[in-house]
Amino acid sequence: MVTLITCTGDRPICFELLECWISQQSIKPDQWIVVDDGKVPTAIKYDCDYIRREPKKSDPKFTMILNIEEAFKYIKGDKILFMEDDEYYAPGYIEEISKKLDEYDLVGVGRSKYYHLPTLK
């Protein structure tokens, strides 16, 4: 069983693109956990386990660890994939990573290329 985890907050355009990338996957996740701690709740169109973590004044500047810890409470799958809201995922991404996880305990992506789309650089 494949579980995806996405931590997001106040990035509606990025999240909408991620929903598109996930909808185009050759195999779909069994579970998608989205933890949102933005000031404005994210509008969700895709079927997922949406967890709203209200921001607190005591939160650290970067809240990803808090959000991951929250997601861990809801995991059902034995294969856990982190899919960020600011990354592109080709249609075979989940399928390929899932196959690798049949063989290895931990899988990552190397030789990534990053672009700043507004400047096309």
Side-chain angles (χ1 to χ4, degrees):
M1 184 174 185
V2 175
T3 294
L4 305 182
I5 296 175
T6 301
C7 300
T8 193
D10 296 325
R11 293 155 57 116
I13 294 170
C14 294
F15 191 82
E16 190 173 322
L17 284 170
L18 179 61
E19 286 181 308
C20 179
W21 309 146
I22 291 175
S23 72
Q24 294 174 3
Q25 292 297 303
S26 56
I27 66 168
K28 304 297 186 252
D30 300 292
Q31 178 187 31
W32 183 19
I33 300 170
V34 175
V35 181
D36 177 14
D37 69 351
K39 292 177 184 170
V40 176
T42 300
I44 306 289
K45 296 176 187 156
Y46 198 91
D47 184 29
C48 69
D49 296 339
Y50 177 79
I51 299 160
R52 175 76 182 146
R53 197 183 71 72
E54 289 294 330
K56 299 179 180 124
K57 288 184 180 184
S58 61
D59 280 351
K61 183 176 180 180
F62 300 105
T63 57
M64 182 158 311
I65 298 297
L66 293 175
N67 294 342
I68 290 171
E69 287 174 345
E70 187 63 28
F72 283 166
K73 299 174 187 176
Y74 301 93
I75 292 172
K76 296 177 184 170
D78 57 342
K79 296 178 182 179
I80 315 303
L81 282 68
F82 288 89
M83 294 183 76
E84 298 189 42
D85 63 4
D86 61 351
E87 299 284 332
Y88 166 74
Y89 297 95
Y93 180 82
I94 293 174
E95 183 175 9
E96 288 300 314
I97 296 297
S98 181
K99 286 178 188 176
K100 297 283 186 201
L101 285 169
D102 287 336
E103 197 172 337
Y104 303 100
D105 292 333
L106 182 65
V107 176
V109 176
R111 298 189 189 122
S112 296
K113 294 180 182 176
Y114 295 92
Y115 301 93
H116 185 251
L117 294 178
T119 62
L120 299 177
K121 293 182 182 181

